[in-house]
Amino acid sequence: MKMKQGAAGLVTSAMLVTLLLSACSQSEPAASGGTGGGTAAGSEADMSKRIKVSAMTISYGATPPDKSSGIKILEDKYNMDYTFIPIASTDYINKLGVTIASGDIPDLVVMPGLDQNWYNYMDNGVFLPLEKYINEKDTPNLAKLDKDFLSLFSGNGHLYGLPRLRSQASLNLTIRKDWLDKLSLPVPSTYDELYAAMKQFVEKDPDGNGKNDTYGMGFYVGTLAFGGTTSLFGSYKTPFNVNWSEAADGKIYPVMAHPNYRQSLEYLAKAYKDGIISKDFVIMKGTQAEDDFLTGKSGVWGDFAWNAYSQDRLDKARAVNPKFEWLPIPPLKGAPDGLQGYARGQGFNGFISIPAALGKDEAKVKRMLKFIDDQMGEDMNSELYKLLNYGKEGEHYQVVDGKTSYKDLGVKERPGLYLISNPPAEATGLNNPIESKEVQAVKNASFAAATAGAAFPDAMLGLVPTEMLKDKGGELNKLLLEASVKVISGEEPLTFYDKTLEEWKTKGGRQIVDEMNAAYKTLHGK
């Protein structure tokens, strides 16, 4: 994987953690359990002695059984007694803090993000330096990772974290292709063409039910930003799946203070006035807005990453309309600065650390690193990959007429549900044999769309939030968000945003931008 510093970050360190924990519902909503396996790590890890390994990780849904045939596969493979500790995402930050403060830290701990707590842990020697264990023989998959990328999880000259890799292909716009076809409309390639298509979705009865009950674009107000149109303004460099981005003047800004954001607001305000956005967007929940797209009420959605195109979502949509067809849209032309691209994914979703106390047991550390490294193998056809992900053929999964599917036991307790890392390949999962050819095809189309053109990173990854940003960032973000809602809904004119932006600057926004730009220049040698 090739990656440079400067991928994803947030307005405050607390917000960084929040967004990382919500990634399942935006950037990665379709993931089910772990992935991994492929080329086995080297033979240096001594497997003769039975060890105990505990792993604390983030859970985004129902947790698998404490004891199961899936866990037994892992225990037998690595000669270990394995305690899997999944903590609900909503409670993970609190539980992590309490656990580390107690000193009784699990052997493998998933850290949610590069926040101030993490930097404090590094400085205070909470976790074990890992660089001496990473080599081509013993940990070949970890050894492949780009050094610049690994430096994000390093400090004081040591590597303290191993990233849980995610694709850099992130969110893209999705449109109802069956609606385009019904109205004889081309696939939009510009912002104006998209607007024209969405307007016809409002006016021309695309679902053919004879009722005026459709609108153009799913949209809602989230806790920290807008959803539904998350990726819409990628080419403006003001998408809501990043929080800071670089502008034409070379400086970085929070999205809602970016020079192009005013024009984004203008586009949305006009869309609201023309009925393209639901009149209920202020009170609408994200699940409702997504359902509106899947069940035929809206024609455009902007919160789908490539792995969100799941069979479950397709089945839900087809149950309402058998002709439902979704189409990922490449980045749009016509942005203020001439850019054409989506914000790219940060490339990881948390990272794994090992307590410093385990440094006295190098044999156990090597065994655990082999366990992690094996999960990161990218050959989906290898026996190891299948074993770690799917379990045992005939017991956890079956292959019928070339189609792989989980059996009941595999759904409930396959070993993949207990993994804490995943492969490095950018496109791993796009052609997962568990999924239908149709779902695989749309995933490939989404992946291509998300990475087309000038895909760009969030400007904040690798930067430590300043004290002003930590103290005032959330409050100032809320100020701009509330002003934006008033402008979009027509309660206030666009000039109200201008006035609020000046207030934002005087209350600390200008200082935050100056401080973070100084840090950004230092980080990138500018």
Side-chain angles (χ1 to χ4, degrees):
M1 171 181 287
K2 295 295 182 184
M3 185 178 307
K4 294 187 181 295
Q5 289 183 333
L10 302 168
V11 176
T12 69
S13 59
M15 291 165 64
L16 172 58
V17 170
T18 302
L19 286 193
L20 283 172
L21 292 178
S22 68
C24 183
S25 64
Q26 295 184 359
S27 300
E28 305 181 34
S32 57
T35 56
T39 304
S43 58
E44 290 303 307
D46 180 5
M47 304 291 287
S48 61
K49 180 182 176 182
R50 187 81 170 180
I51 63 172
K52 294 183 178 181
V53 175
S54 55
M56 178 175 168
T57 189
I58 306 167
S59 173
Y60 297 106
T63 57
D66 291 340
K67 297 295 181 182
S68 73
S69 59
I71 281 187
K72 188 174 188 308
I73 286 174
L74 299 178
E75 291 183 328
D76 290 347
K77 174 68 181 173
Y78 297 97
N79 194 20
M80 64 180 181
D81 296 323
Y82 186 48
T83 302
F84 184 69
I85 310 170
I87 305 297
S89 59
T90 53
D91 192 41
Y92 195 80
I93 301 304
N94 290 335
K95 182 66 174 178
L96 178 65
V98 170
T99 298
I100 292 178
S102 73
D104 186 15
I105 307 173
D107 302 314
L108 300 171
V109 181
V110 170
M111 304 299 299
L114 298 170
D115 61 0
Q116 189 61 51
N117 287 331
W118 164 248
Y119 294 113
N120 290 338
Y121 297 149
M122 278 202 305
D123 290 341
N124 286 286
V126 174
F127 294 110
L128 181 69
L130 300 172
E131 64 275 2
K132 75 175 184 179
Y133 299 99
I134 309 302
N135 58 73
E136 292 182 0
K137 181 180 179 182
D138 301 330
T139 55
N141 295 308
L142 286 165
K144 292 177 185 177
L145 299 181
D146 185 78
K147 289 182 173 57
D148 285 343
F149 180 43
L150 287 179
S151 70
L152 294 173
F153 316 100
S154 303
N156 308 316
H158 296 291
L159 173 67
Y160 292 101
L162 304 174
R164 301 198 310 162
L165 300 169
R166 295 294 186 268
S167 172
Q168 287 188 286
S170 188
L171 308 182
N172 57 258
L173 285 173
T174 302
I175 197 165
R176 287 287 299 264
K177 185 177 182 299
D178 53 313
W179 285 13
L180 289 175
D181 293 344
K182 180 177 177 59
L183 301 178
S184 300
L185 297 171
V187 178
S189 62
T190 70
Y191 281 96
D192 288 345
E193 289 175 358
L194 177 66
Y195 195 94
M198 293 191 297
K199 199 165 188 300
Q200 291 212 35
F201 290 167
V202 176
E203 299 170 350
K204 300 293 185 179
D205 189 26
D207 60 350
N209 68 354
K211 299 178 182 178
N212 183 23
D213 59 357
T214 55
Y215 63 99
M217 177 170 55
F219 186 54
Y220 65 95
V221 183
T223 304
L224 306 173
F226 296 112
T229 60
T230 298
S231 58
L232 172 63
F233 295 109
S235 296
Y236 277 61
K237 275 207 167 179
T238 58
F240 292 107
N241 56 323
V242 301
N243 281 267
W244 287 67
S245 65
E246 193 171 289
D249 62 5
K251 296 176 66 176
I252 62 171
Y253 298 88
V255 164
M256 286 187 283
H258 192 283
N260 293 341
Y261 183 71
R262 190 180 194 275
Q263 288 170 276
S264 305
L265 269 187
E266 189 174 20
Y267 190 97
L268 292 172
K270 186 173 187 295
Y272 179 85
K273 184 178 180 181
D274 288 343
I276 289 171
I277 294 172
S278 170
K279 299 300 181 185
D280 296 327
F281 82 89
V282 176
I283 60 173
M284 186 177 288
K285 296 185 181 298
T287 51
Q288 180 186 349
E290 181 185 311
D291 282 351
D292 279 0
F293 173 73
L294 293 174
T295 60
K297 293 182 180 179
S298 69
V300 174
W301 184 243
D303 270 8
F304 276 179
W306 60 269
N307 61 344
Y309 295 88
S310 66
Q311 191 66 49
D312 287 345
R313 285 185 169 90
L314 184 59
D315 291 345
K316 184 174 187 175
R318 291 271 168 83
V320 176
N321 185 345
K323 294 182 178 180
F324 174 92
E325 189 174 359
W326 50 24
L327 179 69
I329 305 175
L332 298 170
K333 302 174 184 175
D337 299 326
L339 178 74
Q340 186 181 1
Y342 287 118
R344 72 177 186 229
Q346 60 189 357
F348 70 98
N349 181 28
F351 47 95
I352 304 161
S353 293
I354 296 175
L358 287 180
K360 63 181 181 293
D361 191 349
E362 291 198 348
K364 179 173 179 176
V365 172
K366 287 182 179 181
R367 183 99 57 92
M368 293 192 301
L369 290 179
K370 175 177 171 58
F371 176 50
I372 293 171
D373 193 80
D374 282 356
Q375 294 174 47
M376 299 175 73
E378 57 190 297
D379 181 2
M380 297 177 67
N381 294 313
S382 74
E383 291 305 312
L384 182 56
Y385 183 100
K386 293 175 183 176
L387 179 69
L388 296 186
N389 278 279
Y390 308 151
K392 295 181 179 179
E393 185 173 355
E395 183 177 350
H396 296 93
Y397 73 97
Q398 59 190 357
V399 181
V400 179
D401 297 328
K403 174 74 168 95
T404 303
S405 60
Y406 291 123
K407 302 187 75 171
D408 288 345
L409 187 64
V411 171
K412 298 175 183 176
E413 54 184 63
R414 64 187 181 276
L417 297 174
Y418 302 92
L419 302 181
I420 61 172
S421 193
N422 48 276
E426 283 285 274
T428 293
L430 294 182
N431 297 297
N432 191 328
I434 293 291
E435 297 172 323
S436 68
K437 295 295 184 183
E438 183 177 8
V439 170
Q440 291 177 35
V442 76
K443 280 189 171 186
N444 276 282
S446 172
F447 189 92
T451 54
F456 61 93
D458 191 305
M460 283 293 290
L461 189 63
L463 296 180
V464 180
T466 64
E467 290 303 315
M468 175 66 83
L469 180 55
K470 288 187 290 184
D471 292 343
K472 296 289 186 180
E475 172 189 334
L476 292 173
N477 184 77
K478 184 179 178 182
L479 183 70
L480 293 181
L481 181 61
E482 291 177 348
S484 299
V485 170
K486 291 179 180 180
V487 170
I488 293 169
S489 63
E491 181 181 341
E492 295 285 357
L494 193 56
T495 52
F496 180 73
Y497 166 77
D498 300 330
K499 183 188 303 182
T500 305
L501 182 61
E502 290 305 311
E503 181 184 355
W504 177 88
K505 291 177 181 177
T506 60
K507 286 186 173 180
R510 181 181 290 110
Q511 180 180 337
I512 288 172
V513 168
D514 289 344
E515 291 174 346
M516 296 313 297
N517 271 277
Y520 183 74
K521 290 178 180 178
T522 299
L523 177 65
H524 295 281
K526 294 187 176 183

